[in-house]
Amino acid sequence: GDSVTQMEGPVTLSEEAFLTINCTYTATGYPSLFWYVQYPGEGLQLLLKATKADDKGSNKGFEATYRKETTSFHLEKGSVQVSDSAVYFCALGPQAGTALIFGKGTTLSVSS
Amino acid sequence: DAGVIQSPRHEVTEMGQEVTLRCKPISGHDYLFWYRQTMMRGLELLIYFNNNVPIDDSGMPEDRFSAKMPNASFSTLKIQPSEPRDSAVYFCASRPINNEQFFGPGTRLTVL
């Protein structure tokens, strides 16, 4: 079945460091791909999305490109801030349009 | 729009008691989802509805859990009787047909 695999955390970085969180997926058809972020004590919020191959989603300095050839949707940010500390979830939206399938989440901790 | 609304935000109860969690989805959204989040198991989909009809309840852990959606603006998740292992954060989410899910702030349940 469809699935999402994220890199294990936690990821610990210093402020202004470069961030990459890997995400790969298995799916039939042409799913949409998402990154959600969860700040402490809050629900998940959509960070960015891409709906077809080669699309790049971007928001708040974060970017991810939908790579069909490598079935990947890696999250990147050039310079992280302390306020980026959160849990990041990669998710897949099956083409049939049912529930999103989430990865296990990656905890990011940024120190000043 | 106020977003997805959940109540209560925190619930502390004793083992054996009935617990009812409530959710008001975003107006006009066709789908409603209930998730459970724990440190051990991550984010789990419990059940989801389409146009008030339950579509997939395979994630409901056991018969002690039940969910209803009597109309388009209200859903409940009930646990009867509750057990300590049910302690978790329960999220409700809703979405329109185009796949982007919006999450509520969650209900933190503690069963003593």
Side-chain angles (χ1 to χ4, degrees):
Chain A
D2 296 352
S3 66
V4 174
T5 302
Q6 289 183 235
M7 64 186 288
E8 294 283 333
V11 175
T12 303
L13 296 173
S14 298
E15 205 165 24
E16 299 183 2
F18 184 85
L19 168 71
T20 299
I21 299 178
N22 290 338
C23 172
T24 57
Y25 68 90
T26 302
T28 55
Y30 304 96
S32 296
L33 298 172
F34 305 83
W35 277 101
Y36 279 79
V37 59
Q38 184 181 28
Y39 298 104
E42 299 183 10
L44 280 71
Q45 305 173 23
L46 180 66
L47 180 60
L48 53 84
K49 68 178 180 181
T51 57
K52 61 182 187 298
D54 299 325
D55 269 2
K56 177 185 283 187
S58 61
N59 186 24
K60 299 181 181 178
F62 291 89
E63 294 183 340
T65 301
Y66 188 160
R67 302 283 189 200
K68 191 172 188 301
E69 63 275 13
T70 55
T71 62
S72 65
F73 193 55
H74 304 322
L75 182 68
E76 296 182 335
K77 186 174 186 182
S79 176
V80 294
Q81 305 300 311
V82 172
S83 57
D84 293 327
S85 298
V87 182
Y88 292 82
F89 293 88
C90 185
L92 177 156
Q95 192 178 18
T98 57
L100 293 186
I101 297 170
F102 285 87
K104 293 187 181 299
T106 302
T107 299
L108 170 65
S109 179
V110 181
S111 58
S112 58
Chain B
D1 199 316
V4 176
I5 299 172
Q6 292 186 246
S7 64
R9 292 295 311 276
H10 302 274
E11 176 80 33
V12 180
T13 190
E14 293 189 349
M15 183 174 62
Q17 296 299 305
E18 178 180 293
V19 175
T20 300
L21 311 182
R22 297 173 176 79
C23 175
K24 176 179 171 55
I26 294 173
S27 177
H29 283 193
D30 303 289
Y31 292 84
L32 183 139
F33 307 85
W34 282 101
Y35 291 87
R36 177 172 69 176
Q37 186 178 41
T38 61
M39 290 293 292
M40 291 296 294
R41 302 173 70 94
L43 191 65
E44 303 173 275
L45 175 66
L46 300 178
I47 185 172
Y48 76 94
F49 297 81
N50 180 20
N51 292 324
N52 313 337
V53 176
I55 301 301
D56 184 355
D57 65 354
S58 60
M60 297 286 262
E62 47 197 280
D63 292 345
R64 297 184 297 107
F65 286 69
S66 62
K68 294 182 179 180
M69 192 166 185
N71 57 63
S73 59
F74 184 65
S75 177
T76 60
L77 177 67
K78 185 176 294 186
I79 308 172
Q80 165 63 18
S82 58
E83 296 182 4
R85 59 194 170 113
D86 302 329
S87 298
V89 181
Y90 291 81
F91 289 104
C92 177
S94 70
R95 73 165 174 82
I97 293 177
N98 69 0
N99 256 349
E100 180 177 333
Q101 283 181 206
F102 294 80
F103 282 77
T107 295
R108 181 173 296 276
L109 173 65
T110 302
V111 183
L112 303 175

